[in-house]
């Protein structure tokens, strides 16, 4: 089994967010950090070089149960082109609520938002709360 590449680091999240470019992404990243902290009640940890994560859970790949690891319950990354939001659509409740978020696109494991102004922040808070409630993946039978 290969080593997981994205793992928690000791890097300072605030320093990372304050260095985000362009300025709009930095502003949105700092605002997201406050929203995620408000909803989860916990401080973030930088996973790898660019994922601001909250909490963690043990995952087991449904396609290959030998593929396992630890991943943030929810989080985000203020990437140059767009904001990447993690964990919001992983659970059925989140996937059902997602269409009410606003303007976004989807990737395999995340939701992409161009600007924080494009989303309903109340819906975002609900999606974060759903993701935060996630437990570890069950062992396959």
């Amino acid at each position: 089994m290969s080593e997981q590449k994205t793992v928690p680091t000791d890097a300072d999240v605030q320093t990372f967010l304050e260095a985000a470019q362009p300025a709009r992404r930095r502003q949105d990243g700092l605002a997201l950090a406050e929203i995620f902290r408000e909803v989860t009640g916990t401080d973030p940890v930088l996973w790898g070089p660019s994922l601001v994560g909250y909490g963690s859970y043990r995952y087991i790949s449904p396609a290959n149960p030998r593929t396992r690891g630890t991943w943030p319950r929810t989080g985000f990354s203020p990437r140059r082109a767009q904001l990447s939001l993690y964990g919001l659509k992983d659970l059925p409740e989140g996937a059902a609520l997602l269409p009410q978020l606003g303007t976004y696109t989807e990737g395999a494991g995340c939701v992409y938002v161009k600007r924080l102004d494009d989303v309903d922040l109340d819906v975002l808070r609900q999606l974060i709360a759903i993701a935060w409630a996630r437990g570890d993946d069950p062992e396959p039978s």
Side-chain angles (χ1 to χ4, degrees):
M1 187 162 46
S2 66
E3 285 289 316
Q4 183 175 324
K5 294 178 184 166
T6 304
V7 296
T9 71
D10 292 330
D12 185 69
V13 172
Q14 188 71 22
T15 301
F16 165 73
L17 291 173
E18 289 173 356
Q21 293 293 325
R24 177 66 192 203
R25 200 65 67 230
R26 179 172 49 255
Q27 293 164 355
D28 284 351
L30 291 166
L32 278 172
E34 287 305 312
I35 292 168
F36 275 79
R37 182 178 288 118
E38 168 194 317
V39 175
T40 66
T42 192
D43 291 328
V45 171
L46 196 63
W47 289 63
S50 63
L51 195 165
V52 179
Y54 295 80
S56 65
Y57 75 99
R58 184 193 73 239
Y59 70 84
I60 301 171
S61 169
N64 180 357
R66 292 182 304 174
T67 302
R68 299 164 179 239
T70 303
W71 193 250
R73 287 185 189 181
T74 189
F76 68 93
S77 182
R79 301 192 188 281
R80 183 171 288 277
Q82 57 202 351
L83 301 165
S84 299
L85 307 173
Y86 297 89
L88 303 187
K89 64 179 198 161
D90 294 350
L91 300 175
E93 302 91 333
L97 182 60
L98 191 58
Q100 297 176 38
L101 180 61
T103 304
Y104 68 92
T105 57
E106 294 183 53
C110 57
V111 173
Y112 301 112
V113 174
K114 292 278 187 194
R115 299 167 21 134
L116 202 50
D117 293 341
D118 293 340
V119 300
D120 182 321
L121 296 182
D122 290 332
V123 172
L124 177 60
R125 284 179 175 90
Q126 291 174 47
L127 288 165
I128 294 167
I130 291 167
W132 181 247
R134 177 186 195 126
D136 289 339
D137 286 351
E139 288 288 333
S141 4

